[in-house]
Amino acid sequence: MTSGDPGQGAAARGRARRERILEAATYFIARHGARGTSLAQIAEQAGVSQPGLIYHYNTKELLLHAVLDRRDERERYFTWDDDDRPGLEVFTAVVEAVGRWPDDSDMVGMHTVLVAENASEDNAISERLRGAYEAGVEKVALALARAQEDGVLREDVDPRCKAMEILAFVNGLETAWLANRSMPAQEIAAQWARDQLRTLRNGPRSA
């Protein structure tokens, strides 16, 4: 019997160690913010030495970027490609994403805290967060503009303004839900989506 490649085993252990570090960082940032969280706390929670953590993420900024990368991979709201035409399914995407919050509550909280901490800052993290917000606005605005081209969305709707309104609703609901986890966030989002569709669809409006 031949043994496995030792290099593959080491790589798997390294991936597992990085995942534990990112999970611990997400946990602490969601509760205490990045400024209130030390690398020593994260290392202890992850079950690694502080030098071991620094081996993978030698600055807190690098660790924050890695945490946000992990969040971007797992918590995606608008997953269609740039060439797709999702139309008013934009609202369905929001409801489905809100329904996933309880499964990733630390990740939701971590992102909200980082946005609040960096709102008035000028650094790599704040630049990244602003860029992600603008990218989200542009993606939704493009989908809505194409919905207008397809005759699905009313012509008097400004796609960019509506896109900003959609993200404002999501961000506001997210903050409210983090303050009160018993809030039926998905039900609220579903009712909001129905109200939006009733008024935005092209054609006669429902009473």
Side-chain angles (χ1 to χ4, degrees), residues 2-91:
T2 59
S3 60
D5 184 348
Q8 290 182 348
R13 289 191 295 274
R15 287 192 297 271
R17 190 177 303 116
R18 287 192 296 274
E19 178 62 21
R20 292 200 308 274
I21 291 169
L22 296 180
E23 186 173 345
T26 299
Y27 173 89
F28 277 108
I29 294 168
R31 288 159 178 78
H32 308 296
R35 296 170 187 169
T37 297
S38 69
L39 294 181
Q41 286 175 310
I42 295 170
E44 182 178 3
Q45 178 83 357
V48 301
S49 66
Q50 193 165 345
L53 184 153
I54 293 172
Y55 173 80
H56 293 289
Y57 306 104
N58 58 15
T59 66
K60 183 179 279 190
E61 181 179 304
L62 186 62
L63 177 59
L64 292 179
H65 278 295
V67 166
L68 287 170
D69 287 342
R70 182 173 179 262
R71 184 256 182 188
D72 290 345
E73 291 171 1
R74 296 192 180 190
E75 189 182 301
R76 299 183 63 196
Y77 282 79
F78 310 116
T79 57
W80 57 85
D81 294 328
D82 290 342
D83 294 331
D84 292 340
R85 305 180 83 90
L88 297 182
E89 290 299 308
V90 167
F91 296 97

Coordinates of all heavy atoms in Angstrom, one line a residue, residues 2-91:
T2 N 0.6 2.2 -0.8 CA 1.4 3.4 -0.9 C 0.7 4.5 -0.1 O -0.5 4.6 0.0 CB 1.5 3.9 -2.4 OG1 0.2 4.1 -2.9 CG2 2.2 2.8 -3.2
S3 N 1.5 5.3 0.6 CA 1.0 6.3 1.4 C 0.7 7.5 0.5 O 1.2 7.7 -0.6 CB 2.0 6.7 2.5 OG 3.2 7.2 1.8
G4 N -0.2 8.4 1.0 CA -0.6 9.6 0.3 C 0.6 10.6 0.2 O 1.6 10.5 0.9
D5 N 0.4 11.6 -0.6 CA 1.4 12.6 -0.8 C 1.5 13.4 0.5 O 0.5 14.1 0.8 CB 1.0 13.5 -2.0 CG 2.1 14.5 -2.3 OD1 3.0 14.7 -1.5 OD2 2.0 15.2 -3.4
P6 N 2.6 13.5 1.2 CA 2.7 14.3 2.4 C 2.4 15.8 2.1 O 1.8 16.5 3.0 CB 4.2 14.1 2.8 CG 4.6 12.8 2.2 CD 3.9 12.8 0.9
G7 N 2.7 16.2 0.9 CA 2.4 17.6 0.6 C 0.9 17.9 0.6 O 0.5 19.0 1.0
Q8 N 0.1 17.0 0.1 CA -1.3 17.1 0.1 C -1.9 17.2 1.5 O -2.8 18.0 1.7 CB -1.9 16.0 -0.7 CG -1.7 16.1 -2.2 CD -2.4 15.0 -3.0 OE1 -2.9 14.0 -2.4 NE2 -2.4 15.1 -4.3
G9 N -1.3 16.3 2.3 CA -1.8 16.4 3.7 C -1.5 17.7 4.4 O -2.3 18.2 5.1
A10 N -0.3 18.2 4.2 CA 0.1 19.5 4.8 C -0.8 20.6 4.2 O -1.2 21.5 5.0 CB 1.6 19.8 4.5
A11 N -1.1 20.5 2.9 CA -1.9 21.6 2.3 C -3.4 21.5 2.9 O -4.0 22.6 3.2 CB -2.0 21.4 0.8
A12 N -3.9 20.3 3.1 CA -5.2 20.2 3.7 C -5.2 20.7 5.1 O -6.2 21.4 5.5 CB -5.6 18.7 3.7
R13 N -4.2 20.5 5.9 CA -4.1 21.0 7.3 C -4.0 22.5 7.3 O -4.6 23.2 8.1 CB -2.9 20.4 8.0 CG -3.1 18.9 8.3 CD -2.1 18.4 9.3 NE -0.7 18.5 8.7 CZ -0.2 17.5 8.0 NH1 -0.9 16.4 7.7 NH2 1.0 17.6 7.5
G14 N -3.3 23.0 6.3 CA -3.2 24.5 6.2 C -4.5 25.1 5.9 O -4.9 26.2 6.4
R15 N -5.3 24.5 5.0 CA -6.6 25.0 4.6 C -7.5 25.0 5.8 O -8.3 25.9 6.1 CB -7.2 24.3 3.4 CG -6.6 24.6 2.1 CD -7.4 24.0 0.9 NE -7.5 22.5 1.0 CZ -6.6 21.7 0.4 NH1 -5.5 22.2 -0.2 NH2 -6.8 20.4 0.5
A16 N -7.5 23.9 6.6 CA -8.3 23.7 7.7 C -8.0 24.8 8.8 O -8.8 25.4 9.5 CB -8.2 22.3 8.3
R17 N -6.7 25.0 8.9 CA -6.2 26.0 9.9 C -6.7 27.4 9.5 O -7.1 28.2 10.4 CB -4.7 26.0 10.0 CG -4.1 26.8 11.2 CD -2.6 26.6 11.3 NE -2.2 25.2 11.4 CZ -1.5 24.6 10.5 NH1 -1.1 25.2 9.4 NH2 -1.2 23.3 10.7
R18 N -6.6 27.7 8.2 CA -7.0 29.1 7.8 C -8.5 29.2 8.0 O -9.0 30.3 8.4 CB -6.6 29.3 6.3 CG -5.1 29.5 6.1 CD -4.9 30.0 4.7 NE -5.2 29.0 3.7 CZ -4.4 28.0 3.3 NH1 -3.1 28.0 3.8 NH2 -4.7 27.2 2.4
E19 N -9.2 28.2 7.7 CA -10.7 28.2 7.9 C -11.0 28.5 9.4 O -12.0 29.3 9.7 CB -11.3 26.9 7.4 CG -12.9 26.9 7.6 CD -13.6 27.9 6.8 OE1 -13.1 28.5 5.8 OE2 -14.8 28.2 7.2
R20 N -10.3 27.8 10.3 CA -10.6 28.1 11.7 C -10.3 29.5 12.1 O -11.0 30.1 12.9 CB -9.8 27.1 12.6 CG -10.2 25.6 12.4 CD -9.7 24.8 13.6 NE -8.3 25.0 13.9 CZ -7.3 24.2 13.3 NH1 -7.7 23.3 12.4 NH2 -6.1 24.4 13.6
I21 N -9.2 30.0 11.5 CA -8.8 31.4 11.8 C -9.9 32.4 11.3 O -10.3 33.3 12.0 CB -7.4 31.7 11.2 CG1 -6.3 30.9 11.9 CG2 -7.2 33.2 11.3 CD1 -5.0 31.0 11.2
L22 N -10.3 32.2 10.1 CA -11.3 33.1 9.5 C -12.7 33.0 10.3 O -13.4 34.0 10.5 CB -11.5 32.8 8.1 CG -10.3 33.0 7.2 CD1 -10.6 32.7 5.7 CD2 -9.8 34.4 7.3
E23 N -13.0 31.8 10.7 CA -14.3 31.6 11.5 C -14.2 32.3 12.8 O -15.1 33.0 13.2 CB -14.5 30.1 11.7 CG -15.9 29.8 12.3 CD -16.2 28.3 12.3 OE1 -15.6 27.5 11.6 OE2 -17.1 27.9 13.1
A24 N -13.0 32.2 13.5 CA -12.8 32.8 14.7 C -12.8 34.4 14.6 O -13.4 35.1 15.4 CB -11.5 32.4 15.4
A25 N -12.2 34.8 13.5 CA -12.1 36.3 13.3 C -13.6 36.8 13.0 O -13.9 37.9 13.5 CB -11.2 36.6 12.1
T26 N -14.3 36.1 12.2 CA -15.7 36.5 12.0 C -16.5 36.5 13.3 O -17.3 37.5 13.5 CB -16.4 35.5 11.0 OG1 -15.6 35.5 9.8 CG2 -17.8 35.8 10.7
Y27 N -16.3 35.5 14.1 CA -17.1 35.5 15.4 C -16.8 36.7 16.2 O -17.7 37.4 16.7 CB -16.6 34.2 16.1 CG -17.2 34.1 17.5 CD1 -18.4 33.5 17.8 CD2 -16.4 34.6 18.6 CE1 -18.9 33.4 19.1 CE2 -16.9 34.5 19.9 CZ -18.2 33.9 20.1 OH -18.7 33.8 21.4
F28 N -15.5 37.0 16.4 CA -15.1 38.2 17.3 C -15.5 39.5 16.7 O -16.0 40.4 17.4 CB -13.6 38.1 17.6 CG -13.3 37.2 18.7 CD1 -12.6 36.0 18.5 CD2 -13.6 37.5 20.0 CE1 -12.3 35.1 19.5 CE2 -13.3 36.7 21.1 CZ -12.7 35.5 20.8
I29 N -15.3 39.7 15.4 CA -15.6 41.0 14.7 C -17.0 41.2 14.8 O -17.5 42.4 15.0 CB -15.0 41.0 13.3 CG1 -13.5 40.9 13.3 CG2 -15.5 42.2 12.6 CD1 -12.9 40.6 11.9
A30 N -17.9 40.2 14.6 CA -19.3 40.4 14.7 C -19.8 40.9 16.1 O -20.8 41.6 16.2 CB -20.0 39.1 14.4
R31 N -19.0 40.6 17.1 CA -19.4 40.9 18.5 C -18.6 42.2 19.0 O -19.2 42.9 19.8 CB -19.1 39.7 19.4 CG -20.1 38.6 19.2 CD -19.7 37.3 19.7 NE -20.7 36.3 19.5 CZ -20.9 35.7 18.3 NH1 -20.2 36.0 17.3 NH2 -21.9 34.8 18.2
H32 N -17.4 42.3 18.6 CA -16.6 43.4 19.2 C -16.0 44.3 18.2 O -15.3 45.3 18.6 CB -15.4 42.8 20.0 CG -15.9 41.8 21.0 ND1 -16.7 42.1 22.1 CD2 -15.7 40.4 21.1 CE1 -17.0 41.0 22.8 NE2 -16.4 40.0 22.2
G33 N -16.2 44.1 16.9 CA -15.6 44.9 15.9 C -14.2 44.6 15.6 O -13.5 43.9 16.5
A34 N -13.6 45.0 14.5 CA -12.2 44.7 14.3 C -11.3 45.4 15.2 O -10.3 44.9 15.7 CB -11.9 45.1 12.8
R35 N -11.7 46.7 15.7 CA -10.8 47.4 16.6 C -10.8 46.8 18.0 O -9.9 47.0 18.7 CB -11.3 48.9 16.6 CG -11.2 49.6 15.3 CD -11.9 50.9 15.2 NE -11.9 51.5 13.9 CZ -12.6 52.6 13.5 NH1 -13.4 53.1 14.4 NH2 -12.6 53.0 12.3
G36 N -11.9 46.2 18.3 CA -12.0 45.6 19.6 C -11.5 44.1 19.7 O -11.7 43.4 20.7
T37 N -11.0 43.6 18.6 CA -10.5 42.2 18.5 C -9.0 42.2 18.3 O -8.5 42.9 17.4 CB -11.3 41.5 17.4 OG1 -12.7 41.5 17.6 CG2 -10.8 40.1 17.2
S38 N -8.4 41.4 19.1 CA -6.9 41.2 18.9 C -6.6 39.9 18.2 O -7.4 39.0 18.2 CB -6.2 41.2 20.3 OG -6.6 40.0 21.0
L39 N -5.4 39.9 17.6 CA -5.0 38.7 16.9 C -4.8 37.5 17.9 O -5.0 36.4 17.6 CB -3.6 38.9 16.2 CG -3.7 39.9 15.0 CD1 -2.3 40.0 14.3 CD2 -4.7 39.5 13.9
A40 N -4.4 37.9 19.2 CA -4.3 36.9 20.2 C -5.6 36.2 20.5 O -5.7 35.0 20.7 CB -3.7 37.5 21.5
Q41 N -6.7 37.0 20.6 CA -8.0 36.4 20.8 C -8.4 35.4 19.7 O -8.9 34.4 19.9 CB -9.1 37.5 20.9 CG -9.0 38.3 22.1 CD -10.0 39.5 22.1 OE1 -10.0 40.3 21.1 NE2 -10.8 39.6 23.1
I42 N -8.2 35.9 18.5 CA -8.5 35.0 17.3 C -7.7 33.8 17.3 O -8.3 32.7 17.1 CB -8.3 35.8 16.0 CG1 -9.3 37.0 15.9 CG2 -8.5 34.9 14.8 CD1 -9.0 38.0 14.8
A43 N -6.4 33.9 17.6 CA -5.6 32.7 17.6 C -6.0 31.7 18.6 O -6.1 30.5 18.4 CB -4.1 33.1 17.8
E44 N -6.4 32.2 19.8 CA -6.8 31.3 20.9 C -8.1 30.6 20.5 O -8.3 29.4 20.7 CB -7.0 32.1 22.2 CG -7.4 31.2 23.4 CD -7.6 32.0 24.7 OE1 -7.4 33.2 24.6 OE2 -7.9 31.4 25.7
Q45 N -9.1 31.4 20.0 CA -10.4 30.8 19.6 C -10.2 29.7 18.5 O -10.9 28.7 18.4 CB -11.3 31.9 19.1 CG -12.6 31.4 18.6 CD -13.6 31.2 19.7 OE1 -13.3 31.4 20.8 NE2 -14.9 30.9 19.3
A46 N -9.2 30.0 17.6 CA -9.0 29.1 16.4 C -8.1 27.9 16.8 O -8.0 26.9 16.0 CB -8.3 29.8 15.3
G47 N -7.5 27.9 18.0 CA -6.7 26.8 18.4 C -5.4 26.8 17.8 O -4.8 25.7 17.5
V48 N -4.8 27.9 17.5 CA -3.5 28.0 16.9 C -2.7 29.0 17.7 O -3.2 29.8 18.5 CB -3.5 28.5 15.4 CG1 -4.4 27.5 14.6 CG2 -4.1 29.9 15.3
S49 N -1.4 29.0 17.5 CA -0.5 29.9 18.2 C -0.6 31.3 17.5 O -1.0 31.3 16.3 CB 0.9 29.4 18.2 OG 1.4 29.4 16.9
Q50 N -0.2 32.3 18.2 CA -0.2 33.6 17.5 C 0.8 33.7 16.3 O 0.5 34.2 15.2 CB 0.0 34.8 18.5 CG -0.3 36.1 17.9 CD -0.4 37.2 18.9 OE1 -0.5 36.9 20.1 NE2 -0.3 38.5 18.5
P51 N 2.0 33.1 16.5 CA 2.9 33.0 15.3 C 2.3 32.2 14.2 O 2.5 32.5 13.0 CB 4.1 32.3 15.9 CG 4.1 32.7 17.4 CD 2.7 32.7 17.8
G52 N 1.5 31.2 14.5 CA 0.9 30.4 13.5 C -0.2 31.2 12.7 O -0.3 31.0 11.5
L53 N -0.9 32.0 13.4 CA -1.9 32.9 12.8 C -1.1 33.9 11.9 O -1.5 34.1 10.7 CB -2.7 33.7 13.8 CG -3.8 34.5 13.3 CD1 -4.9 34.7 14.3 CD2 -3.3 35.9 12.9
I54 N -0.1 34.5 12.4 CA 0.7 35.5 11.6 C 1.4 34.9 10.4 O 1.6 35.5 9.4 CB 1.7 36.2 12.6 CG1 1.0 37.0 13.6 CG2 2.7 37.0 11.8 CD1 1.9 37.6 14.7
Y55 N 1.7 33.6 10.5 CA 2.2 32.9 9.3 C 1.3 33.0 8.1 O 1.7 33.2 7.0 CB 2.5 31.4 9.7 CG 2.9 30.6 8.5 CD1 4.2 30.6 8.0 CD2 2.0 29.8 7.8 CE1 4.6 29.9 6.9 CE2 2.4 29.0 6.7 CZ 3.7 29.1 6.3 OH 4.1 28.3 5.2
H56 N 0.0 32.9 8.4 CA -1.0 32.9 7.3 C -1.5 34.3 7.0 O -1.7 34.7 5.9 CB -2.2 32.1 7.7 CG -2.0 30.6 7.8 ND1 -1.7 29.8 6.7 CD2 -1.9 29.8 8.9 CE1 -1.5 28.6 7.1 NE2 -1.6 28.5 8.4
Y57 N -1.6 35.2 8.1 CA -2.1 36.5 7.9 C -1.3 37.4 8.8 O -1.5 37.6 10.0 CB -3.6 36.6 8.4 CG -4.5 35.6 7.7 CD1 -4.9 34.5 8.3 CD2 -4.8 35.8 6.3 CE1 -5.7 33.5 7.7 CE2 -5.6 34.8 5.7 CZ -6.0 33.7 6.4 OH -6.8 32.8 5.7
N58 N -0.2 38.0 8.2 CA 0.8 38.7 9.0 C 0.4 40.2 9.4 O 1.1 40.8 10.1 CB 2.1 38.7 8.3 CG 2.1 39.4 6.9 OD1 1.1 40.1 6.6 ND2 3.1 39.2 6.2
T59 N -0.8 40.6 9.0 CA -1.3 41.9 9.4 C -2.8 41.7 9.6 O -3.5 40.9 9.0 CB -1.1 43.0 8.4 OG1 -1.9 42.8 7.3 CG2 0.4 43.2 8.1
K60 N -3.4 42.6 10.5 CA -4.9 42.5 10.7 C -5.6 42.9 9.4 O -6.6 42.4 9.1 CB -5.3 43.5 11.8 CG -6.8 43.4 12.1 CD -7.2 44.3 13.3 CE -6.9 43.7 14.6 NZ -7.6 44.4 15.7
E61 N -5.0 43.9 8.7 CA -5.7 44.3 7.4 C -5.8 43.1 6.4 O -6.8 42.9 5.8 CB -4.9 45.4 6.7 CG -5.5 45.9 5.4 CD -4.8 47.0 4.8 OE1 -4.6 48.0 5.5 OE2 -4.4 46.9 3.6
L62 N -4.7 42.3 6.3 CA -4.7 41.1 5.5 C -5.8 40.1 5.9 O -6.5 39.5 5.1 CB -3.4 40.5 5.4 CG -3.2 39.3 4.4 CD1 -3.4 39.8 3.0 CD2 -1.8 38.7 4.6
L63 N -5.9 40.0 7.2 CA -6.9 39.1 7.8 C -8.3 39.6 7.5 O -9.2 38.8 7.2 CB -6.7 38.9 9.3 CG -7.7 38.1 10.1 CD1 -7.7 36.7 9.5 CD2 -7.4 38.1 11.6
L64 N -8.5 40.9 7.6 CA -9.9 41.5 7.3 C -10.2 41.2 5.8 O -11.4 40.9 5.5 CB -9.9 42.9 7.6 CG -9.8 43.3 9.1 CD1 -9.8 44.8 9.3 CD2 -10.9 42.7 9.9
H65 N -9.3 41.4 5.0 CA -9.5 41.1 3.5 C -9.9 39.7 3.3 O -10.8 39.3 2.6 CB -8.3 41.5 2.7 CG -8.3 43.0 2.4 ND1 -9.2 43.6 1.6 CD2 -7.3 43.9 2.7 CE1 -8.9 44.9 1.5 NE2 -7.7 45.1 2.1
A66 N -9.2 38.8 4.0 CA -9.5 37.3 3.9 C -10.9 37.0 4.4 O -11.7 36.2 3.8 CB -8.5 36.5 4.6
V67 N -11.3 37.7 5.5 CA -12.6 37.5 6.1 C -13.7 38.0 5.1 O -14.7 37.3 4.9 CB -12.7 38.2 7.5 CG1 -14.2 38.3 7.9 CG2 -11.9 37.5 8.5
L68 N -13.4 39.1 4.5 CA -14.4 39.6 3.5 C -14.4 38.8 2.2 O -15.5 38.6 1.6 CB -14.0 41.1 3.2 CG -14.3 42.1 4.3 CD1 -13.7 43.5 3.9 CD2 -15.8 42.2 4.5
D69 N -13.3 38.2 1.9 CA -13.3 37.3 0.7 C -14.2 36.1 1.0 O -15.0 35.6 0.2 CB -11.9 36.8 0.4 CG -11.0 37.8 -0.2 OD1 -11.5 38.8 -0.7 OD2 -9.7 37.6 -0.1
R70 N -14.1 35.6 2.2 CA -14.9 34.4 2.6 C -16.4 34.8 2.6 O -17.2 34.0 2.2 CB -14.4 34.0 4.0 CG -15.2 32.8 4.6 CD -14.4 32.4 5.9 NE -15.0 31.2 6.6 CZ -15.9 31.3 7.6 NH1 -16.3 32.5 8.0 NH2 -16.4 30.3 8.2
R71 N -16.7 36.0 3.1 CA -18.1 36.4 3.1 C -18.6 36.6 1.7 O -19.7 36.2 1.3 CB -18.2 37.7 3.8 CG -19.6 38.3 4.0 CD -19.8 39.4 3.0 NE -21.2 39.9 3.2 CZ -21.7 40.8 2.4 NH1 -21.0 41.3 1.4 NH2 -22.9 41.3 2.6
D72 N -17.8 37.1 0.8 CA -18.2 37.3 -0.6 C -18.5 36.0 -1.3 O -19.4 35.9 -2.2 CB -17.1 38.1 -1.4 CG -17.0 39.5 -1.0 OD1 -17.9 40.0 -0.3 OD2 -16.0 40.2 -1.3
E73 N -17.7 35.0 -1.0 CA -17.9 33.6 -1.6 C -19.2 33.0 -1.1 O -19.9 32.3 -1.8 CB -16.7 32.7 -1.2 CG -15.4 33.1 -1.9 CD -14.3 32.3 -1.4 OE1 -14.5 31.4 -0.5 OE2 -13.1 32.6 -1.8
R74 N -19.6 33.2 0.2 CA -20.7 32.5 0.8 C -22.0 33.3 0.8 O -23.1 32.7 0.8 CB -20.3 32.2 2.3 CG -19.2 31.2 2.4 CD -19.1 30.7 3.8 NE -18.0 29.8 3.9 CZ -17.7 29.0 5.0 NH1 -18.6 29.1 6.0 NH2 -16.7 28.2 5.0
E75 N -21.9 34.6 0.9 CA -23.1 35.4 1.0 C -23.3 36.3 -0.2 O -23.0 37.5 -0.1 CB -23.1 36.2 2.3 CG -24.4 36.9 2.6 CD -24.4 37.8 3.9 OE1 -24.0 37.2 4.9 OE2 -24.6 39.0 3.8
R76 N -23.8 35.8 -1.3 CA -23.9 36.5 -2.5 C -25.4 36.8 -2.7 O -26.2 35.9 -2.7 CB -23.3 35.8 -3.7 CG -21.8 35.6 -3.5 CD -21.2 34.9 -4.8 NE -21.4 35.7 -5.9 CZ -21.3 35.3 -7.2 NH1 -21.0 34.0 -7.4 NH2 -21.4 36.1 -8.2
Y77 N -25.7 38.0 -3.0 CA -27.1 38.4 -3.2 C -27.5 38.3 -4.6 O -28.6 37.7 -5.0 CB -27.4 39.8 -2.7 CG -27.5 40.0 -1.2 CD1 -26.3 40.0 -0.4 CD2 -28.7 40.1 -0.6 CE1 -26.4 40.2 0.9 CE2 -28.8 40.3 0.8 CZ -27.7 40.3 1.5 OH -27.7 40.4 2.9
F78 N -26.7 38.8 -5.5 CA -27.1 38.9 -6.9 C -26.1 38.1 -7.7 O -25.1 38.6 -8.1 CB -27.2 40.4 -7.3 CG -28.0 41.2 -6.4 CD1 -27.4 42.3 -5.7 CD2 -29.3 41.0 -6.2 CE1 -28.1 43.0 -4.8 CE2 -30.1 41.8 -5.3 CZ -29.4 42.8 -4.6
T79 N -26.5 36.9 -8.0 CA -25.5 35.9 -8.5 C -25.6 35.8 -10.1 O -24.8 35.0 -10.6 CB -25.8 34.5 -7.9 OG1 -27.1 34.1 -8.2 CG2 -25.6 34.5 -6.4
W80 N -26.5 36.5 -10.7 CA -26.5 36.4 -12.2 C -25.3 37.0 -12.8 O -24.6 37.9 -12.2 CB -27.8 37.1 -12.7 CG -27.9 38.5 -12.4 CD1 -27.4 39.6 -13.0 CD2 -28.7 39.1 -11.3 NE1 -27.7 40.8 -12.4 CE2 -28.5 40.5 -11.3 CE3 -29.4 38.5 -10.2 CZ2 -29.1 41.3 -10.4 CZ3 -30.0 39.4 -9.3 CH2 -29.8 40.8 -9.4
D81 N -25.0 36.5 -14.0 CA -23.9 37.1 -14.8 C -24.2 38.4 -15.5 O -25.4 38.7 -15.6 CB -23.4 36.1 -15.9 CG -22.9 34.8 -15.3 OD1 -22.3 34.9 -14.2 OD2 -23.1 33.7 -15.9
D82 N -23.2 39.1 -15.9 CA -23.5 40.4 -16.5 C -24.3 40.4 -17.7 O -25.0 41.4 -18.1 CB -22.1 41.1 -16.8 CG -21.4 41.5 -15.5 OD1 -22.0 41.6 -14.4 OD2 -20.2 41.8 -15.6
D83 N -24.3 39.3 -18.4 CA -25.0 39.1 -19.7 C -26.5 38.6 -19.5 O -27.3 38.6 -20.4 CB -24.3 38.2 -20.7 CG -23.0 38.8 -21.1 OD1 -22.9 40.0 -21.2 OD2 -22.1 38.0 -21.4
D84 N -26.8 38.3 -18.2 CA -28.1 37.7 -17.9 C -29.2 38.9 -17.8 O -28.8 40.0 -17.7 CB -28.1 37.0 -16.6 CG -27.3 35.7 -16.7 OD1 -27.1 35.2 -17.8 OD2 -26.9 35.2 -15.6
R85 N -30.4 38.5 -17.9 CA -31.5 39.5 -17.8 C -32.5 38.9 -16.8 O -33.5 38.4 -17.1 CB -32.2 39.7 -19.2 CG -31.2 40.0 -20.3 CD -31.9 40.2 -21.6 NE -32.6 41.5 -21.8 CZ -31.9 42.6 -22.3 NH1 -30.7 42.5 -22.7 NH2 -32.6 43.7 -22.4
P86 N -32.2 39.1 -15.5 CA -33.0 38.5 -14.4 C -34.4 39.3 -14.3 O -35.3 38.7 -13.6 CB -32.2 38.7 -13.2 CG -31.3 39.9 -13.5 CD -31.0 39.8 -14.9
G87 N -34.5 40.4 -14.9 CA -35.7 41.2 -14.8 C -36.1 41.5 -13.3 O -35.2 41.9 -12.5
L88 N -37.3 41.3 -12.9 CA -37.7 41.7 -11.6 C -37.4 40.5 -10.6 O -37.9 40.6 -9.4 CB -39.2 42.0 -11.6 CG -39.5 43.3 -12.4 CD1 -41.0 43.6 -12.3 CD2 -38.7 44.5 -11.9
E89 N -36.7 39.5 -11.0 CA -36.3 38.4 -10.1 C -35.3 39.0 -9.1 O -34.9 38.3 -8.1 CB -35.7 37.3 -10.9 CG -36.7 36.5 -11.6 CD -37.7 35.8 -10.7 OE1 -37.3 35.2 -9.7 OE2 -38.9 36.0 -11.0
V90 N -34.8 40.3 -9.3 CA -34.0 40.9 -8.4 C -34.6 40.8 -7.0 O -33.9 40.6 -6.0 CB -33.8 42.4 -8.8 CG1 -33.2 43.2 -7.6 CG2 -33.0 42.5 -10.0
F91 N -35.9 41.0 -6.9 CA -36.6 41.0 -5.6 C -36.7 39.6 -5.0 O -36.5 39.4 -3.8 CB -38.0 41.6 -5.8 CG -38.0 43.1 -6.2 CD1 -38.1 43.4 -7.5 CD2 -37.7 44.0 -5.2 CE1 -38.0 44.8 -7.9 CE2 -37.7 45.4 -5.6 CZ -37.8 45.7 -6.9

